[in-house]
Amino acid sequence: MPPITSMDKNILLAHGTGGRMSHKLIDEVFLRVFDNPILLEKDDGAIVEIGGEKLAFTTDSYVVKPIFFPGGDIGKLSVWGTVNDLAVMGAEPFYISCGLIIEEGLELEILERIISSMAEAARIANVLVVTGDTKVVERGGADRIYINTSGVGMLKKNLPLNGIEPTDKIILSGSIGEHEVSVLLARDELPFHSDIVSDLAPLNLLVSEILNVDGIKFIRDPTRGGLATTLNEIAEGRNIGIIVEEEKIKISEEVKAVCELLGLDPFCLANEGKMVVVVKSDCADEVVRRMRKNPLGRESEIIGEVVGELNGRVCLKTRVGGTRILDMLTGYQLPRIC
Amino acid sequence: MPPITSMDKNILLAHGTGGRMSHKLIDEVFLRVFDNPILLEKDDGAIVEIGGEKLAFTTDSYVVKPIFFPGGDIGKLSVWGTVNDLAVMGAEPFYISCGLIIEEGLELEILERIISSMAEAARIANVLVVTGDTKVVERGGADRIYINTSGVGMLKKNLPLNGIEPTDKIILSGSIGEHEVSVLLARDELPFHSDIVSDLAPLNLLVSEILNVDGIKFIRDPTRGGLATTLNEIAEGRNIGIIVEEEKIKISEEVKAVCELLGLDPFCLANEGKMVVVVKSDCADEVVRRMRKNPLGRESEIIGEVVGELNGRVCLKTRVGGTRILDMLTGYQLPRIC
């Protein structure tokens, strides 16, 4: 791709999808300007040291539309999304901040429902919301409510990308696509109904079930940009190849049907309660066994492996015996799905 | 005031100004629902413990309009505002997160200027921007760009409100009102021009000049809601009285003129580079001397003192020898000034 500045002079929705365009923006603007080694790690959060303690620190803004969807709402999403970012870094999430940007006119009853949902999510994930800020903008200055949460946790195990090696196995904790499809259908812009519910869930307990297995190399939650983007980030970041088998990757019949109707790629759909684990080959079965004991990992499967070839690309072995390159999300599917 | 739920069914701009309405919202929604002892401190940030280390953790979203104003921009504001929140808690600011919500169509050149400004602000304040997130919303879903920053620092000295006692002195680091007036005039909605420049500045060095003085009790930066709101928060929080002298509180002639023209109360105007210090009486002169050595504290003055009477209220001794109650900002002056 040409440099971003020659391609576009303006920010596009695709810059916010977590896929290829987001990566270009991050590389060409943020990393260039901020230029510090912690940020250059390009992780979902930062590992920082304060007084000898290693902490994980992460931030995410949530602009999901609509703010209530089957299986969740912007409040739970904002707490568990950030809990999950900390957990997959190998940290135990402790403290969450809550920054609200509210559009003038939002019903107080809606705000109370969202705040109550955040509080319930925090209780379930065993974290505390300890500090907050509220800004109100005039009508038309926001779309009801946006929430930023940042999170701080204690690093339990450092899981750097460069620990990943050929022959490592790739485990996926369950079926993909439910979150993005449930949000899309909740917009009521489509003439059909489905019972698809977001997979939104806190992953910190599931992570803690496996974190003390020696062979755990890397964990990531495939949110914006989906499984395809996460696998490509791993492959590109480490300059290795990844081969995954289509028949091992669970996609519900309902999600498949919506994808076919709308021309969506299920591998690029956002998830909010799934994780990808890279693990040393000889520990893979043990890790799957442990994950399956947790309700959120019941459908865990080894979906593929790391190879020395392919130069940073991801290859999908299809059901019919062919192979194809599985690229990162390149344009955008839907804006505002988290 | 009656409970918020009987007064309004919708969020108003006044709920975001940091004054009386914001306090009601915080008390009646957030504190009730989140109910944990750290949040109940109602400080600008939280003091949290991780592995034996005491950390300060704070968050703020910035929605200032316009995004460039005399003396600063939303980028510098977002870094220094959060640096200042950590500094006045008695913490050394270390790490900053950056959560962007960008309106589709924002010029990339503008984004680069803002990010560069954040990077410069971070260098000047000696903090690192270590993690970030970018969301893009459709046109009309935001007003150009909103920035959330959260900050983590190491607590150097705990400065709880309940250390404040009668006879303590109140010090103010300089003149008030420049930030809010500069932002207001930058909106170009008014038919006159002035040379007022925002006082936006990082306060961490100024704080560090005085933090090791034994008699330092409490520090706060009078941002949204201004000096009047900060003094009332102290008086109400500790249920003591505060008496301040109008003639000791510096307000530039330009700010006074704008306030008179527009009917604004300078005591309720936001500042972004000033601080209020509560100090034991016998250390006050020493603290003023130290503060005046720093360019940001050159105009520091003892503006008043804490008294046992007045039951949580703030009293202003006017220039002409009278007295009046100085209340917290009750409605709103201007939205989106930070």
Side-chain angles (χ1 to χ4, degrees):
Chain A
M1 284 195 192
I4 206 167
T5 41
S6 73
M7 192 172 62
D8 308 300
K9 289 188 170 154
N10 299 83
I11 292 290
L12 307 175
L13 286 169
H15 285 118
T17 54
R20 188 71 65 193
M21 294 278 281
S22 298
H23 279 257
K24 283 179 67 68
L25 185 67
I26 290 167
D27 289 346
E28 293 172 19
V29 179
F30 304 130
L31 296 186
R32 184 175 55 76
V33 174
F34 284 126
D35 188 26
N36 72 63
I38 303 172
L39 194 67
L40 286 174
E41 287 288 326
K42 283 182 67 170
D43 216 330
D44 267 5
I47 296 170
V48 297
E49 274 196 59
I50 294 194
E53 291 294 337
K54 282 202 171 173
L55 309 179
F57 180 31
T58 187
T59 193
D60 260 313
S61 296
Y62 297 86
V63 298
V64 66
K65 176 184 181 172
I67 54 180
F68 298 95
F69 49 84
D73 57 69
I74 192 171
K76 278 204 175 55
L77 181 62
S78 70
V79 173
W80 288 344
T82 291
V83 161
N84 292 351
D85 280 349
L86 292 173
V88 299
M89 291 173 70
E92 186 179 347
F94 282 163
Y95 303 111
I96 303 286
S97 67
C98 164
L100 305 178
I101 297 175
I102 305 176
E103 185 186 17
E104 180 189 12
L106 182 75
E107 302 85 340
L108 261 170
E109 181 261 330
I110 297 288
L111 178 63
E112 291 195 34
R113 275 175 65 193
I114 292 168
I115 298 301
S116 297
S117 182
M118 291 184 78
E120 189 190 349
R123 270 193 300 276
I124 292 171
N126 199 25
V127 294
L128 289 178
V129 177
V130 291
T131 189
D133 172 59
T134 304
K135 294 292 190 302
V136 182
V137 296
E138 64 278 30
R139 277 170 206 271
D143 188 2
R144 309 198 79 189
I145 185 167
Y146 299 146
I147 303 180
N148 176 284
T149 53
S150 299
V152 178
M154 189 193 266
L155 193 71
K156 294 288 181 183
K157 187 172 195 171
N158 198 359
L159 299 170
L161 201 58
N162 64 19
I164 298 173
E165 289 163 313
T167 76
D168 287 346
K169 298 293 184 192
I170 312 280
I171 298 167
L172 175 64
S173 66
S175 59
I176 57 173
E178 284 98 347
H179 175 72
E180 185 154 343
V181 171
S182 76
V183 169
L184 169 63
L185 296 182
R187 290 184 190 165
D188 285 333
E189 293 164 356
L190 295 167
F192 54 88
H193 174 78
S194 100
D195 295 321
I196 297 167
V197 170
S198 168
D199 62 337
L200 178 60
L203 293 169
N204 45 340
L205 281 182
L206 182 58
V207 170
S208 70
E209 309 271 13
I210 60 169
L211 205 56
N212 67 351
V213 175
D214 270 347
I216 295 287
K217 302 283 190 85
F218 190 80
I219 312 176
R220 182 65 64 98
D221 51 338
T223 55
R224 279 189 293 179
L227 178 65
T229 298
T230 294
L231 294 176
N232 274 280
E233 285 169 351
I234 295 170
E236 289 181 15
R238 185 75 180 106
N239 197 28
I240 43 82
I242 290 177
I243 298 174
V244 289
E245 295 177 52
E246 187 174 19
E247 66 174 2
K248 299 287 188 185
I249 299 168
K250 292 192 175 63
I251 308 172
S252 75
E253 291 306 319
E254 293 89 341
V255 168
K256 268 185 206 161
V258 172
C259 285
E260 277 166 26
L261 269 166
L262 301 177
L264 298 172
D265 180 351
F267 297 105
C268 288
L269 291 178
N271 312 279
E272 291 292 346
K274 295 297 166 358
M275 64 194 211
V276 171
V277 182
V278 186
V279 59
K280 209 157 171 283
S281 175
D282 58 10
C283 309
D285 291 332
E286 164 69 6
V287 170
V288 168
R289 197 184 58 74
R290 288 183 181 216
M291 287 173 67
R292 285 183 180 167
K293 284 201 293 189
N294 183 305
L296 296 176
R298 213 171 34 227
E299 298 191 310
S300 296
E301 287 283 359
I302 299 170
I303 62 166
E305 65 176 352
V306 177
V307 296
E309 306 82 45
L310 287 172
N311 295 321
R313 278 183 296 187
V314 178
C315 181
L316 181 77
K317 280 194 190 169
T318 63
R319 270 170 216 279
V320 293
T323 61
R324 69 171 173 100
I325 294 297
L326 191 64
D327 198 6
M328 194 180 282
L329 176 60
T330 45
Y332 72 92
Q333 302 213 85
L334 301 164
R336 298 184 53 190
I337 43 89
C338 65
Chain B
M1 283 195 191
I4 207 166
T5 41
S6 74
M7 192 172 61
D8 309 299
K9 289 189 170 153
N10 299 83
I11 292 290
L12 307 174
L13 286 169
H15 286 119
T17 54
R20 186 73 62 195
M21 294 277 282
S22 297
H23 279 257
K24 282 179 69 68
L25 185 67
I26 291 167
D27 289 346
E28 293 172 19
V29 179
F30 304 130
L31 296 187
R32 183 175 56 75
V33 175
F34 283 125
D35 188 25
N36 72 61
I38 302 171
L39 194 67
L40 286 174
E41 288 287 325
K42 283 182 67 171
D43 216 331
D44 266 6
I47 296 171
V48 297
E49 274 196 59
I50 295 194
E53 291 294 338
K54 282 201 171 174
L55 309 179
F57 179 31
T58 188
T59 193
D60 261 312
S61 296
Y62 297 86
V63 297
V64 67
K65 178 185 181 174
I67 53 181
F68 297 95
F69 50 83
D73 58 68
I74 192 170
K76 279 203 173 55
L77 181 61
S78 70
V79 173
W80 288 345
T82 291
V83 162
N84 292 351
D85 280 348
L86 293 173
V88 299
M89 291 173 70
E92 186 178 347
F94 283 163
Y95 303 111
I96 303 286
S97 67
C98 165
L100 304 178
I101 297 175
I102 304 175
E103 185 186 17
E104 180 189 11
L106 181 77
E107 303 85 340
L108 262 170
E109 182 260 331
I110 296 289
L111 178 63
E112 291 195 33
R113 274 175 66 192
I114 291 168
I115 298 302
S116 298
S117 182
M118 291 185 78
E120 189 191 349
R123 271 193 301 276
I124 292 171
N126 198 27
V127 294
L128 289 178
V129 178
V130 292
T131 189
D133 172 59
T134 304
K135 295 292 189 304
V136 182
V137 296
E138 64 278 31
R139 278 171 206 269
D143 188 2
R144 311 198 78 190
I145 185 168
Y146 300 145
I147 304 180
N148 176 284
T149 54
S150 299
V152 177
M154 188 193 266
L155 193 70
K156 293 290 182 182
K157 188 174 194 171
N158 198 359
L159 300 170
L161 201 59
N162 64 19
I164 298 174
E165 290 162 311
T167 76
D168 287 346
K169 298 293 184 191
I170 311 282
I171 298 167
L172 176 64
S173 66
S175 58
I176 59 173
E178 283 98 347
H179 175 72
E180 184 154 342
V181 172
S182 77
V183 168
L184 169 63
L185 295 182
R187 289 184 190 166
D188 285 333
E189 293 164 357
L190 295 167
F192 54 88
H193 175 77
S194 99
D195 295 321
I196 298 167
V197 171
S198 169
D199 62 337
L200 179 60
L203 293 169
N204 46 339
L205 282 182
L206 182 58
V207 170
S208 70
E209 309 272 11
I210 60 169
L211 205 57
N212 66 351
V213 175
D214 270 346
I216 294 288
K217 302 283 191 83
F218 190 80
I219 313 176
R220 183 64 65 96
D221 52 337
T223 54
R224 278 190 294 178
L227 179 65
T229 298
T230 294
L231 293 177
N232 273 280
E233 285 169 351
I234 296 170
E236 289 180 17
R238 185 73 180 108
N239 197 29
I240 43 82
I242 289 177
I243 299 174
V244 290
E245 295 178 51
E246 187 173 19
E247 67 174 1
K248 300 287 189 186
I249 300 168
K250 291 191 177 61
I251 308 172
S252 75
E253 291 306 318
E254 292 89 341
V255 169
K256 270 186 206 161
V258 172
C259 285
E260 278 166 25
L261 269 167
L262 301 178
L264 298 172
D265 179 352
F267 297 105
C268 288
L269 292 177
N271 311 279
E272 291 291 346
K274 295 296 166 357
M275 64 193 212
V276 170
V277 183
V278 186
V279 59
K280 209 158 170 284
S281 175
D282 59 9
C283 310
D285 290 333
E286 165 69 6
V287 170
V288 168
R289 198 183 58 74
R290 287 183 181 216
M291 287 173 69
R292 285 185 180 165
K293 284 201 292 189
N294 183 304
L296 296 176
R298 214 172 33 227
E299 297 192 310
S300 296
E301 288 282 358
I302 299 170
I303 61 165
E305 65 177 352
V306 177
V307 296
E309 305 83 45
L310 288 171
N311 295 321
R313 278 183 296 187
V314 178
C315 180
L316 181 76
K317 280 194 190 168
T318 63
R319 269 170 218 280
V320 293
T323 61
R324 69 172 174 98
I325 295 297
L326 192 65
D327 197 7
M328 195 180 281
L329 177 60
T330 45
Y332 73 92
Q333 302 213 85
L334 301 165
R336 297 183 55 189
I337 43 87
C338 63

